[in-house]
Amino acid sequence: MYSWRKLREKLFTCLIIALSVLAIAPVLHIILTVFVNGFAVIAKAGTSFFTDLPPTPLSKDVGGIAPSIAGTLLMTAISLPIAVTLGLFAAILTAEFPSNPLSLAVDAIAKPLASIPTIAVSMIVYTLVVVPMKSFSALAGAVALAVIALPYTYTYFSTALRSVPSVYREAAFAIAMSRWGAVVRVLIPVARKALTTGVLMTVARVMGETAALLFTAGRFRTGVSFSPTAPADAIPLLIFDYILSPYAVWHQVAWGATALLLLAYLMVFLATKLIVKEVRL
Amino acid sequence: MFAVEMNNVSVYIGDRQILKEVTLRTPYNTVFVIMGPSGSGKTTLLRVINRLIDLVEGARVEGFVKVLNFDALHSDPYELRKYIGMVFQVPNPFPHLTIYENVAVAAKINGVAKSKRELDEVVKWALEKAMLWDEVKDRLYDHPHKLSGGQRQRLCLARALAMKPRLLLLDEPTANIDPVNARKLEEAIVSLKDEVTVVMVTHSPHQAARVADYVAVLYDGRVVEQGPAQQLFLRPSTEIAQKLLRGEI
Ligand SMILES: Nc1ncnc2c1ncn2[C@@H]1O[C@H](COP(=O)(O)OP(=O)(O)OP(=O)(O)O)[C@@H](O)[C@H]1O
Ligand SMILES: [Mg+2]
């Protein structure tokens, strides 16, 4: 009886392990494939992969993806503060005044907004920003990214703020803090790790976004630009275009760019893990 | 003149009546102890005094409450709370602040200290009053999660004292503390009487006997008995008070 139970337990453990391996194997396979192929390309190109322009279709040289890196950095830098600021204020509003009509409206809008197809966002921003400006631009791309990121920051932030135990809020009020003081001095600092995690997850989301940029950023790959009003490129956009092209050298560039993007992703996730582990509250 | 005066105070949360026509008076510079079984409304009563009841969704207060010189139910709660310190049933020091900062923040918010030196002095004074100074003076910049439960509770007392309040609300401040620390806290409370009026909730008849000047017994939201401590302890007139003092409820 006893040993049968033990055996059953062992079998069960093995089954769980086998199933877990089965579940993560495809993911590991993808990551490995991308890294093996991608880093071979980057190694071949050397540092010029980060500083050069992309190759012409028949070039022997791999060249680099400098315009796309610049564009991704620029558009992330513009869209992130917008999404973080608006998301934070919305989250504070709904956390502090949960039954306020405006809070209810924000809460009601956030979910559908998160599930709008990003290509539709791209179309809308095209008509609202690109058409009046008469040009694709990093700004238009960033606006589209901010619209997509906003429900993410809002959801992460409001979950973070709501998870702060109410006893700290009570303590804040009990020492005569104002409502705003309690938010700034207690609520946000107590939730800071969860908030930072939200920011990083949003960065990951924004960096990888492709469809939102299709009709907004423009694919500027003939130089490195940091001008918000000028057309720009993004790494996922370049990957999307190049992998669909018939040219072998562009495929190589796409592998390299994918590896880079994936590496950035992993670093972001690593950072969130470190944050969660850092000083306990 | 009373530090706290309640007349016919009723509290409803949703449809439920939590406090029922409570009437009580707390003379200045005394320790006023509230006793009563679990769920009888002791914490709710304290929350009415500093208007933390406002934070409870769906809560409604009726009646008249005078706290210090405030018509408490019709005053600005943020102004009112400047004069009232509170220690909660479960220790809740701010986890993101150091021991020093936990005390200092209360002093700063209420303009108790202007310079860094004054602040240092207030922090030391409050920690000494809370009988915690000797244990933390070498690690003021540690975070409170490194303290024991009893030390955390005394830190919360120091935080409340750093406001230089005129009224102190203590909700079972020794509930999670060993007898030695509990005694220390009791001594601290009694020694505070010159400066503040203390309203304190406790479950322990012995503790009440040691610190109380006045006692009110709460049962199912009603004050069933109140009066000077000695009188109440010697001749409790209600069966509920008798049972409570024998530790039977
Ligand atoms: N936020 C709330 N929402 C609904 N009911 C509440 C709330 N807070 C307290 N109550 C109810 O009010 C009653 C009194 O609660 P209170 O916390 O004042 O009791 P207490 O005397 O402090 O009890 P204890 O000794 O267990 O701390 C309880 O029946 C409780 O269920
Ligand atoms: Mg209680």
Side-chain angles (χ1 to χ4, degrees):
Chain A
M1 234 14 217
Y2 173 75
S3 65
W4 165 234
R5 206 180 70 198
K6 245 189 155 170
L7 186 69
R8 214 170 48 177
E9 219 161 79
K10 277 233 168 76
L11 278 174
F12 192 67
T13 314
C14 288
L15 187 70
I16 294 280
I17 292 175
L19 284 176
S20 319
V21 169
L22 211 63
I24 56 172
V27 179
L28 280 180
H29 182 252
I30 292 172
I31 293 178
L32 271 177
T33 313
V34 168
F35 278 166
V36 167
N37 289 323
F39 284 123
V41 175
I42 296 177
K44 201 171 107 190
T47 52
S48 60
F49 194 75
F50 304 94
T51 53
D52 275 9
L53 301 182
T56 51
L58 300 176
S59 154
K60 292 229 161 48
D61 245 1
V62 175
I65 58 167
S68 319
I69 295 176
T72 288
L73 289 179
L74 179 64
M75 288 189 285
T76 305
I78 298 172
S79 61
L80 196 66
I82 299 174
V84 166
T85 313
L86 291 179
L88 187 60
F89 276 101
I92 291 171
L93 177 78
T94 53
E96 279 294 303
F97 306 96
S99 43
N100 183 295
L102 193 58
S103 306
L104 297 177
V106 167
D107 222 37
I109 291 170
K111 275 222 176 69
L113 192 60
S115 47
I116 292 184
T118 53
I119 195 143
V121 173
S122 197
M123 288 293 292
I124 295 165
V125 174
Y126 176 81
T127 52
L128 292 182
V129 181
V130 177
V131 172
M133 282 178 73
K134 296 196 177 68
S135 155
F136 293 116
S137 64
L139 188 67
V143 169
L145 289 179
V147 171
I148 287 156
L150 189 55
Y152 280 80
T153 51
Y154 166 73
T155 309
Y156 278 118
F157 292 169
S158 69
T159 311
L161 293 182
R162 281 172 216 212
S163 70
V164 173
S166 61
V167 295
Y168 299 129
R169 219 166 142 252
E170 291 170 358
F173 282 115
I175 59 169
M177 272 191 196
S178 65
R179 190 150 206 157
W180 184 241
V183 168
V184 173
R185 284 164 173 260
V186 176
L187 209 58
I188 290 177
V190 171
R192 68 192 185 285
K193 270 192 254 167
L195 293 172
T196 316
T197 304
V199 173
L200 287 171
M201 300 305 275
T202 308
V203 170
R205 180 76 184 77
V206 165
M207 275 187 335
E209 179 54 39
T210 317
L213 301 175
L214 284 176
F215 315 124
T216 50
R219 299 156 156 87
F220 179 69
R221 286 171 195 147
T222 49
V224 175
S225 158
F226 282 102
S227 161
T229 50
D233 195 30
I235 299 173
L237 217 48
L238 174 111
I239 296 169
F240 178 75
D241 288 343
Y242 278 19
I243 212 75
L244 291 178
S245 77
Y247 309 114
V249 70
W250 279 10
H251 293 168
Q252 286 193 325
V253 174
W255 277 115
T258 309
L260 199 64
L261 200 58
L262 203 56
L263 185 69
Y265 253 79
L266 290 181
M267 269 155 51
V268 168
F269 282 111
L270 195 68
T272 55
K273 279 274 173 270
L274 289 179
I275 286 169
V276 175
K277 266 173 84 178
E278 183 233 357
V279 269
R280 289 201 320 278
L281 279 180
Chain B
M1 283 299 286
F2 300 97
V4 179
E5 202 178 327
M6 290 193 177
N7 270 328
N8 273 315
V9 172
S10 293
V11 172
Y12 302 82
I13 300 179
D15 295 335
R16 253 189 83 200
Q17 187 170 9
I18 310 293
L19 289 184
K20 299 165 183 167
E21 295 99 41
V22 169
T23 295
L24 54 79
R25 306 197 189 311
T26 308
Y28 274 104
N29 298 88
T30 56
V31 176
F32 189 99
V33 164
I34 298 167
M35 297 185 70
S38 184
S40 56
K42 305 179 296 295
T43 300
T44 307
L45 185 70
L46 292 187
R47 285 166 176 271
V48 169
I49 296 174
N50 69 354
R51 292 275 302 272
L52 274 193
I53 190 83
D54 293 14
L55 303 187
V56 177
E57 189 93 12
R60 190 156 53 80
V61 185
E62 286 172 2
F64 173 75
V65 182
K66 188 165 154 263
V67 176
L68 305 168
N69 292 320
F70 290 89
D71 176 356
L73 299 182
H74 304 104
S75 305
D76 175 8
Y78 297 94
E79 185 62 26
L80 171 72
R81 290 181 193 131
K82 287 182 185 162
Y83 303 91
I84 308 174
M86 181 162 184
V87 176
F88 294 80
Q89 201 162 352
V90 178
N92 56 359
F94 296 123
H96 61 293
L97 300 180
T98 62
I99 293 170
Y100 178 94
E101 288 166 341
N102 258 283
V103 183
V105 68
K108 265 194 272 184
I109 297 246
N110 293 284
V112 170
K114 306 263 164 341
S115 65
K116 167 79 175 135
R117 243 195 74 209
E118 270 176 33
L119 199 60
D120 287 347
E121 276 166 19
V122 174
V123 170
K124 182 166 185 244
W125 170 84
L127 285 169
E128 275 173 351
K129 277 284 177 192
M131 310 247 170
L132 185 60
W133 175 254
D134 289 335
E135 289 155 66
V136 300
K137 62 172 187 272
D138 299 322
R139 47 183 181 137
L140 288 173
Y141 300 101
D142 272 357
H143 282 260
H145 70 256
K146 292 189 181 167
L147 296 177
S148 74
Q151 289 172 327
R152 276 180 221 180
Q153 194 61 300
R154 277 177 282 151
L155 178 61
C156 291
L157 177 62
R159 178 176 66 190
L161 291 173
M163 302 167 65
K164 295 273 170 105
R166 297 189 46 210
L167 180 64
L168 199 56
L169 310 177
L170 307 175
D171 197 352
E172 295 186 49
T174 59
N176 303 302
I177 302 184
D178 65 273
V180 178
N181 277 315
R183 283 300 184 102
K184 282 191 186 174
L185 210 72
E186 287 172 18
E187 280 172 44
I189 291 163
V190 173
S191 78
L192 285 166
K193 258 196 311 196
D194 297 336
E195 289 147 84
V196 297
T197 307
V198 179
V199 179
M200 171 172 153
V201 171
T202 180
H203 266 137
S204 153
H206 300 289
Q207 183 170 60
R210 286 191 293 266
V211 301
D213 296 307
Y214 290 86
V215 178
V217 175
L218 212 56
Y219 186 81
D220 191 24
R222 266 178 227 287
V223 173
V224 293
E225 187 162 354
Q226 70 174 311
Q230 273 148 342
Q231 190 184 321
L232 196 139
F233 284 121
L234 285 176
R235 288 183 301 277
S237 59
T238 58
E239 198 186 329
I240 290 164
Q242 287 163 10
K243 278 190 176 170
L244 203 63
L245 294 180
R246 288 198 302 266
E248 288 172 10
I249 47 175

